[in-house]
């Protein structure tokens, strides 16, 4: 495995401890890499074991250093430094996986609903409330919309029309709950919401319109 360059003592990746959610995210990356043929079965097993034993972000960075994924320590570094790492900088969030449209629900709900044009990359951050991407009135010609869920203690929700689909195969859970009440495969020509990440202690639900939502749409 490629050895990382020496970091200065002030580097937070050397001193800030990681949690279960951080380990889960790296394990998901490793499994995806193995599925794509980037890692052998032996390498996957070795790196998952190293991930479970890791204590600091620098250790996670080393584990995925030779894979096409941002270093886990990016999340604890200042945003300007992260922006310099992006291959392209867009004026609107959501056009690049390193710059998704973020719905962060700290103590109040964060919802995107009504008539809107969703970008291809969205991140739901249910810290302690509900982060919801509601596509019932969305207007898009995208075939796939990537939705990342970060670990929290609230609720992450995806609401879709009857003919859309939601795939949650790459969404992991530590202590939370993951539920999908919708098809995993969309109708022909309709969008697929591809969900990945880790819910931590939060909950995730994918659903169709509820009673009141249907009534509002009928008006």
């Amino acid at each position: 495995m490629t050895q990382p360059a020496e970091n200065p003592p002030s580097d937070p990746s050397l001193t800030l401890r990681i949690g279960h959610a951080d380990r889960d995210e790296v394990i998901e990356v490793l499994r995806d890499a193995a599925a794509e043929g980037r890692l052998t079965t032996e390498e996957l097993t070795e790196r998952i074991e190293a991930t479970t034993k890791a204590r600091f972000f620098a250790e996670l960075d080393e584990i995925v250093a030779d894979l096409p994924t941002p270093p886990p320590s990016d999340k604890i570094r200042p945003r300007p430094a992260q922006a310099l790492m992006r291959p392209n900088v867009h004026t609107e969030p959501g056009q690049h996986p390193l710059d998704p449209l973020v719905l962060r629900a700290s103590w109040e709900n964060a919802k995107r609903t009504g008539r809107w044009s969703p970008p291809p990359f969205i991140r739901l951050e249910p810290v302690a409330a509900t982060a919801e991407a509601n596509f019932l009135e969305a207007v898009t010609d995208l075939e796939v919309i990537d939705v990342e869920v970060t670990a929290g203690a609230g609720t992450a929700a995806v609401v879709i029309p009857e003919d859309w689909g939601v795939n949650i195969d790459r969404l992991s859970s530590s202590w939370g709950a993951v539920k999908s009440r919708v098809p995993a495969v969309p109708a022909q020509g309709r969008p697929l919401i591809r969900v990945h990440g880790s819910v931590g202690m939060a909950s995730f639900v994918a659903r169709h319109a509820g009673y009141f939502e249907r009534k509002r749409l009928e008006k």
Side-chain angles (χ1 to χ4, degrees):
M1 188 181 302
T2 303
Q3 294 297 323
E6 290 187 5
N7 295 301
S10 59
D11 190 336
S13 71
L14 294 170
T15 56
L16 190 61
R17 287 182 176 267
I18 59 175
H20 294 310
D22 303 307
R23 296 186 184 90
D24 288 346
E25 290 174 4
V26 170
I27 289 173
E28 179 192 357
V29 169
L30 295 175
R31 288 173 174 162
D32 288 347
E36 294 167 356
R38 302 181 191 275
L39 297 176
T40 65
T41 302
E42 292 76 14
E43 289 172 323
L44 174 62
T45 301
E46 174 188 343
R47 296 194 190 195
I48 287 179
E49 182 178 355
T51 300
T52 61
K53 294 179 179 179
R55 296 178 298 165
F56 304 102
F57 278 96
E59 296 172 78
L60 296 184
D61 287 353
E62 179 183 357
I63 290 169
V64 299
D66 58 353
L67 298 176
T69 187
S73 63
D74 269 8
K75 67 174 65 176
I76 61 171
R77 299 185 187 281
R79 284 196 176 275
Q82 291 181 354
L84 292 174
M85 297 177 61
R86 298 172 188 155
N88 294 292
V89 177
H90 302 270
T91 56
E92 295 294 331
Q95 302 304 315
H96 191 278
L98 294 184
D99 185 27
L101 171 65
V102 178
L103 299 179
R104 180 178 177 83
S106 297
W107 301 108
E108 296 184 358
N109 295 337
K111 298 184 179 183
R112 183 59 63 92
T113 186
R115 191 173 180 84
W116 64 301
S117 296
F121 300 99
I122 299 172
R123 179 187 297 152
L124 301 181
E125 298 183 356
V127 179
T130 297
E132 177 181 295
N134 188 310
F135 299 97
L136 293 178
E137 299 178 76
V139 178
T140 182
D141 57 2
L142 294 171
E143 295 182 0
V144 177
I145 298 174
D146 182 280
V147 174
E148 177 188 5
V149 178
T150 63
T155 298
V158 169
V159 186
I160 63 167
E162 295 288 335
D163 52 358
W164 288 33
V166 176
N167 185 297
I168 60 171
D169 290 346
R170 295 183 178 180
L171 181 61
S172 62
S173 170
S174 297
W175 300 97
V178 174
K179 295 181 180 179
S180 179
R181 303 168 184 163
V182 302
V185 179
Q188 186 173 3
R190 302 298 288 159
L192 169 68
I193 307 297
R194 187 166 54 200
V195 184
H196 62 97
S198 175
V199 300
M201 293 187 294
S203 61
F204 172 85
V205 61
R207 63 177 179 82
H208 291 309
Y211 175 81
F212 291 107
E213 289 167 324
R214 290 196 301 271
K215 289 297 184 183
R216 179 174 57 81
L217 293 173
E218 291 170 359
K219 293 181 179 180

